[in-house]
Amino acid sequence: MKAIQVKQPGGPEAMELVDLPVPQPKPNEAVVKIHASGVNFIDVYNREGRYKVPLPFVLGQEAAGVVSAVGSEVREVAVGDRVAYTMALGSYAEYAAVPADRLVKVPSGVGDREAAATMLQGMTAHYLCHDTYPLKKGETALIHAAAGGVGLLLVQMAHNIGARIIATVSTEEKAKLAREAGADEIILYAESDFEAETKRLTGGKGVDVVYDSVGKTTFEKGLNVLRPRGMMALYGGSSGAVPPFDPIVLTQKGSLYLTRPSLGAYIMTRQELEQRAGAVFTMIREGKLKLRIEHVYPLAQVQQAHRDLEGRKTTGKLLLLT
Ligand code: NDP
């Protein structure tokens, strides 16, 4: 089978198209014939070695497809089931062996591409606004990189809750998308100071929560725009990692809350995984969540996909097709 392997960490050129044997399932695993694989920023971190993965490895951790084989102990799925998953490495490939308890069945009305586009970014947007900081109607959220993969989904979910959304993006094209997704206010944060703008837009009161995936370039100013006891949900570092931080700053800025959440802790049990994926699939089926899947690449063009993602050229979801 064709797969994208990393033998040594590095830039996009570290990803090689190779031929590997189709994996055989362990007793608790199912083999998935992959139809679409999601590209996520975490793949960049894994490729670069920012997150350490034993070498060599097949990149990617989000996909949808059909079960082609199951191990002897598998009860959750059967051969022929349409499934999707995330948080298991090896999805940039034609087949992957995945722990069966990490697979969810894809309901009718949700296509393979939609399912692949939902698992990581959709469930992330869901836990951020429903569990990390459960947004309420009438509250105000600042959402950074609002036209990105997680960003566009988070804006829609926050809008559906009835929150007021202040969104940051780098270009007018991205501003249009964020607005269409439900953002009430847009700040072009590459041109204007989002701290001053957010204070102005909230009449000096500050926002209830900041959802920050950008990290290094936004974190500190984000703390300055929170209301007393507001929450900073720092869930990524697309611009780089936030430097070491003294918690006394949280006191000085108004008894703030800081969390650095990760999807894994919000889908720990199979029940929670099924509930969260099911909730997002339902939003898609009911037309409450629109996916933007404009950037679709053949597996062999993975290097271009990563260059586009890292180069801030993309909006919404990137997929690799096998
Ligand atoms: P995005 O589609 O959001 O792409 C990244 C965006 O970040 C860019 O489009 C760009 O938007 C913005 N950005 C700002 N500064 C930079 C920079 N210096 N370099 C590159 N991009 C920059 O990616 P994803 O939706 O896949 O992921 C977003 C972030 O969320 C990542 O950091 C990822 O690791 C994290 N994440 C965390 C999860 C968790 O559970 N903790 C789960 C999923 C994702 P603009 O041009 O508008 O500034």
Side-chain angles (χ1 to χ4, degrees):
M1 67 162 188
K2 300 263 181 288
I4 301 297
Q5 198 176 49
V6 173
K7 291 177 183 147
Q8 283 302 324
E13 64 291 343
M15 297 180 289
E16 275 180 55
L17 181 66
V18 295
D19 259 312
L20 295 174
V22 173
Q24 297 300 308
K26 295 195 183 103
N28 67 329
E29 288 179 341
V31 175
V32 180
K33 167 84 184 79
I34 292 173
H35 294 165
S37 178
V39 177
N40 294 286
F41 230 92
I42 193 167
D43 305 337
V44 174
Y45 304 151
N46 287 335
R47 188 204 73 210
E48 287 174 335
R50 203 191 303 184
Y51 295 167
K52 301 278 175 255
V53 183
L55 299 163
F57 66 95
V58 175
L59 205 56
Q61 46 184 281
E62 179 182 46
V66 174
V67 175
S68 62
V70 292
S72 57
E73 293 167 10
V74 169
R75 301 288 170 267
E76 296 87 349
V77 293
V79 171
D81 283 347
R82 291 181 64 229
V83 292
Y85 69 92
T86 186
M87 309 296 282
L89 258 185
S91 70
Y92 286 10
E94 289 178 303
Y95 292 86
V98 182
D101 66 359
R102 295 285 90 190
L103 294 172
V104 295
K105 292 187 191 171
V106 178
S108 62
V110 178
D112 289 336
R113 294 186 188 194
E114 291 174 305
T118 299
M119 294 303 291
L120 204 154
Q121 294 170 341
M123 289 200 293
T124 296
H126 187 272
Y127 83 69
L128 284 170
C129 66
H130 289 280
D131 294 283
T132 302
Y133 183 91
L135 255 183
K136 291 192 269 313
K137 191 176 167 159
E139 287 188 328
T140 303
L142 175 63
I143 300 179
H144 287 304
V150 178
L152 270 184
L153 302 176
L154 185 54
V155 169
Q156 291 178 74
M157 290 184 199
H159 175 75
N160 291 343
I161 288 168
R164 178 185 184 214
I165 302 151
I166 302 174
T168 65
V169 292
S170 66
T171 65
E172 287 292 352
E173 186 213 350
K174 291 184 177 187
K176 183 167 177 285
L177 293 175
R179 212 171 272 120
E180 283 166 8
D184 299 281
E185 314 283 354
I186 305 283
I187 302 172
L188 294 173
Y189 61 169
E191 293 165 21
S192 55
D193 178 8
F194 81 82
E195 179 183 342
E197 272 299 285
T198 306
K199 284 179 177 163
R200 184 183 68 78
L201 289 166
T202 58
K205 279 175 63 186
V207 299
D208 298 284
V209 57
V210 177
Y211 296 112
D212 186 355
S213 64
V214 174
K216 191 174 176 185
T217 58
T218 47
F219 175 74
E220 226 180 292
K221 287 187 167 194
L223 295 176
N224 296 337
V225 304
L226 281 163
R227 65 157 165 84
R229 292 186 290 164
M231 181 183 285
M232 165 65 73
L234 174 70
Y235 69 96
S238 302
S239 68
V242 171
F245 172 79
D246 185 347
I248 196 69
V249 174
L250 300 174
T251 318
Q252 292 161 348
K253 293 186 191 285
S255 299
L256 303 179
Y257 292 87
L258 165 65
T259 179
R260 178 61 178 86
S262 159
L263 175 60
Y266 288 85
I267 49 170
M268 289 192 71
T269 63
R270 178 150 185 82
Q271 188 192 13
E272 196 173 19
L273 169 66
E274 285 184 322
Q275 279 175 356
R276 203 173 296 286
V280 181
F281 286 147
T282 300
M283 289 178 193
I284 294 170
R285 292 172 65 178
E286 292 179 349
K288 292 183 181 145
L289 188 68
K290 299 265 186 317
L291 301 173
R292 183 176 168 81
I293 310 175
E294 292 259 303
H295 304 275
V296 177
Y297 307 77
L299 196 59
Q301 284 179 19
V302 66
Q303 294 188 0
Q304 190 58 47
H306 274 221
R307 286 195 182 97
D308 291 347
L309 181 64
E310 289 175 83
R312 301 171 81 161
K313 291 196 181 125
T314 63
T315 53
K317 187 68 194 174
L318 287 76
L319 290 181
L320 298 174
L321 299 186
T322 54

